[in-house]
Every structure is written in structure tokens, then in C-alpha cells.
Amino acid sequence: MVGTAARGAAMSTETAVERAVKALLKWRDSQSHLQKPQLLMEDELLYLIVSLKKIPQNPRVNPMKVPLPHPLIDPSTDPAELCMFIDDRPKSGITKDAVSKKIKAENIPITKVIKLSKLKTDYKPFEAKRKLCDSYHMFFADKRIIPLLPRLLGKQFFKKKKIPVPVDLKHKNWKEQIEKACSSAMLFLGSGTCCVVKVAKLSLGQKEIVENVQAAINGIAEVVPSKWGNVRSFHLKLLESLALPVYQAMPDLRLKILAEAEHPTSKEDKQEVEEVEGDASHQKKKKKKGRIHEVQYMDDQENINDSNFGADIKDEIATEDISTKKKKSALKKLSAIDMKVKDKKKKKRLAA
């Protein structure tokens, strides 16, 4: 059932993705005539907004990699600036010279290598962190120092979604790991139900953009918890455009049926509820009257004769619904009164 639902959802999004991409490109062309020409033209990105039904139970700082057929950053053709943070602590066994030599020997597309000790000292001011974030397209880091980076980099990296991608420098396939990260969309599953993913750039053709978006949708649906069952919607947008829907999950009819059962809407159901509520309130009033009668009875106890007192208690036990504790106390009082009556009769006989 899950497999057929997933295939149906994937098929339904294909035409919606094509229409959304076509509409966004048309809107972008209309806006380009109104905007002023810029000296340095930057390639605009296309964003996919993911909405989930439930908040992830285990939010993570590191992004999930979703493979794309057409990479956003292609180091072989694009002059992309990539930066790597390395662990230069004594136990790491890695030096900056050794890393630089391997990068040159294997033609790895890394333009800057920054040591952890230098990151702690030279990039302590906020302005230095901001400039570092804006200077490079993508960041990588030794996976052993990933837990230390959020405090050292600051909030600017998190705002611009430039959190360093972990790389295992113990393995020899550095180039393969970096190229895989460059050709993937980064999905950040935080502590909410909504997240934004970069899926394409406008310099690609319309067909290539559609392929990227479709691959991102299918990949994200397989990565998130509960897969398609936890996906509420997908929307496409540019930086300043409206978000166009490409997929929307059907509402859960079971919840609607339960809500209607809890809150009846028909006239007969409402009358039944009113009758039940009226009976309940009437019973409560009766109980309250019994309690008030008991209190008055206890207050007037001293002014009543012993014989009348016993008779009233018997009537009270027979007619009203008293708890077991009150019954026991009433029976004890009856036995005490009977004993007093017998003692009085014995004294009268002895006196006669």
C-alpha cells in the first residue's frame, strides 16, 4: 500500500512540477525587465519548501544529502570557492602541509584550508565570521570537529545554510566525498515541520531544473521519517516570488469522523445530549439536598429526644443514598441510643 501510494504521489507531482517551473521562469523574465542591471550577475537559485505532518523526534545539525542529476556546484566547470576546516590537535595526526599536498596531488577542488586553532583565534570577532561565511560557496570539515563548529562559527552560517559538510579524512577518498556533497541537495531537519532546500539554479535549462526538482522530491520523501506518510506538502519558489504548490497530501478522514462523533451535529443527537446533561444536573441537585439535610440534622441533634433521634436516623438510612462510611457511623449512633434507652428503663424498674 505504501509503495503504490508513493508511486501515485510521484506521478502526480511530475506535471505539477513542470507547470510550476514554467510559471516561475516566466515570472522571472517579466521581473528582469523591471530591475536595474547589476555589475556582477549572480545565478539565482530555486528553492523547495518541505512541510511535514509531524516534528522529527531526533533533530540533527548535520544535513542529509539528497543526490541531484545536475549539481548546483560543479567544481570542474564553475569557479566555486570551497573551504575546509581541519583538526590540527596533537591526537589528530593531520597537518596543514600534508592536507595541502594531497589536495594538489589528487586535484581536489578545495581552495582554502583553515586549521581549528586558527579558527579559534583569527575568526573570533563577528565581522570576521561574517566575511568568512560570504567568501566561500561551500564549507567542509573533518567530522571529528563537527561538534565544536556551531560555537566557533556563529549564527551567520546557520542563517545562510552554510553549515560545514562532514568529511572523513581518515579515508583516502577525499575527492569522491567532496564531489558527492557538491552534487547533492542539503536537507536540514531541525526542530520544526518546515525546511527549505536549494534544488536548482536558473542557469540550467528548464528540463534540467524539472529533473532536479523531481529527484529532490523523491529523495526527500525517502529520507524523512515515515517517508511519504509524513509529507504534508511541497512548494517551489524563487527568492522573491510566491510559493507554488507541487504536492499536497490529502486530509486524514479518520480524524474528521472522530471529531464528528465527539461533537454531534444532528438535532436528535443534540436532544439526547441535552437530556443526559439534564438528568445529570438533576441528580447532582438531589445529592446536594441530602448533604444539606444531614448538616442541619447534625446541628439540631441536641434538641431531639433519644427515641425520635433513632427513628429519624433509620428513616434517613432507608430513604437516602448514603455512603458506606456514613451508614456505619449512623448504626453506631443507633446502638449507643438503644443502650441509653435500656439503661433508663432498668433505672425506672429498680426505682419502682
Side-chain angles (χ1 to χ4, degrees):
M1 291 294 290
V2 177
T4 55
R7 285 194 294 272
M11 291 294 290
S12 64
T13 56
E14 288 181 4
T15 54
V17 167
E18 292 177 0
R19 291 177 182 175
V21 170
K22 187 176 181 181
L24 288 173
L25 292 176
K26 186 177 180 181
W27 177 86
R28 184 69 185 87
D29 293 337
S30 64
Q31 292 294 315
S32 61
H33 299 292
L34 303 175
Q35 293 177 354
K36 296 179 180 179
Q38 298 179 358
L39 182 62
L40 297 174
M41 294 296 293
E42 293 184 358
D43 198 357
E44 194 169 354
L45 296 173
L46 191 70
Y47 300 93
L48 181 68
I49 303 173
V50 185
S51 298
L52 304 178
K53 295 179 181 178
K54 296 181 181 179
I55 298 173
Q57 294 182 355
N58 300 317
R60 46 186 290 167
V61 177
N62 298 332
M64 293 181 176
K65 301 183 186 71
V66 180
L68 297 175
H70 308 286
L72 298 177
I73 299 174
D74 191 358
S76 59
T77 57
D78 299 337
E81 298 287 331
L82 307 180
C83 179
M84 178 184 282
F85 302 114
I86 63 169
D87 185 7
D88 63 337
R89 292 176 294 183
K91 293 182 180 179
S92 65
I94 296 176
T95 61
K96 185 177 179 179
D97 294 336
V99 172
S100 301
K101 287 179 182 179
K102 184 168 184 177
I103 288 172
K104 289 181 180 179
E106 297 183 5
N107 197 19
I108 298 173
I110 296 293
T111 54
K112 181 72 173 178
V113 177
I114 299 175
K115 298 186 292 184
L116 180 64
S117 58
K118 191 175 181 181
L119 183 64
K120 290 180 179 179
T121 55
D122 295 359
Y123 296 94
K124 206 169 184 179
F126 174 78
E127 190 63 24
K129 293 177 183 177
R130 190 185 64 79
K131 286 183 179 179
L132 177 64
C133 181
D134 296 337
S135 299
Y136 300 95
H137 293 88
M138 199 170 182
F139 292 88
F140 298 89
D142 189 347
K143 71 174 188 178
R144 291 171 289 185
I145 63 171
I146 287 292
L148 306 174
L149 293 179
R151 181 175 57 85
L152 297 174
L153 296 176
K155 61 182 180 181
Q156 197 70 16
F157 280 77
F158 289 88
K159 278 185 178 180
K160 295 193 174 182
K161 304 294 183 186
K162 287 189 176 182
I163 301 171
V165 180
V167 178
D168 191 358
L169 298 182
K170 290 183 178 180
H171 292 280
K172 296 181 179 179
N173 60 342
W174 293 9
K175 187 175 183 179
E176 183 181 347
Q177 294 182 59
I178 292 169
E179 288 179 350
K180 184 180 178 181
C182 290
S183 61
S184 300
M186 299 298 167
L187 173 65
F188 295 89
L189 283 180
S191 57
T193 57
C194 187
C195 50
V196 181
V197 185
K198 301 173 185 176
V199 292
K201 51 187 180 180
L202 296 187
S203 60
L204 298 172
Q206 183 177 340
K207 185 180 178 182
E208 295 172 341
I209 293 173
V210 171
E211 290 174 356
N212 264 22
V213 174
Q214 195 62 43
I217 289 173
N218 295 332
I220 291 169
E222 293 297 322
V223 167
V224 297
S226 301
K227 298 185 178 181
W228 280 102
N230 193 24
V231 176
R232 186 180 299 279
S233 64
F234 287 111
H235 289 75
L236 270 180
K237 76 180 296 291
L238 296 173
L239 186 61
E240 297 178 354
S241 72
L242 295 174
L244 302 181
V246 294
Y247 171 77
Q248 182 71 44
M250 294 294 291
D252 196 350
L253 295 177
R254 183 170 56 85
L255 296 176
K256 187 178 179 182
I257 293 168
L258 289 173
E260 289 179 354
E262 291 177 0
H263 305 285
T265 55
S266 63
K267 293 182 179 179
E268 295 178 358
D269 294 337
K270 286 181 179 179
Q271 289 177 358
E272 290 178 1
V273 172
E274 289 175 358
E275 289 176 1
V276 172
E277 289 178 353
D279 294 339
S281 62
H282 189 60
Q283 289 177 1
K284 285 181 181 179
K285 288 179 182 177
K286 282 186 177 180
K287 288 183 180 179
K288 286 181 180 178
K289 285 183 180 178
R291 290 175 187 168
I292 294 168
H293 180 68
E294 290 167 12
V295 173
Q296 289 177 356
Y297 168 75
M298 294 300 290
D299 291 338
D300 298 336
Q301 179 180 350
E302 296 177 356
N303 301 325
I304 301 173
N305 295 328
D306 294 337
S307 59
N308 294 334
F309 182 71
D312 290 339
I313 291 180
K314 287 179 181 178
D315 294 337
E316 193 73 15
I317 294 170
T319 55
E320 301 206 5
D321 184 16
I322 305 173
S323 63
T324 55
K325 291 183 179 180
K326 290 183 179 180
K327 285 181 181 179
K328 288 180 181 179
S329 62
L331 290 171
K332 285 180 181 179
K333 289 175 184 178
L334 277 173
S335 60
I337 292 166
D338 291 337
M339 291 295 291
K340 287 180 181 180
V341 172
K342 287 179 180 179
D343 290 338
K344 286 181 180 180
K345 286 181 181 180
K346 284 182 180 179
K347 287 180 182 179
K348 288 179 181 179
R349 286 176 186 174
L350 291 173

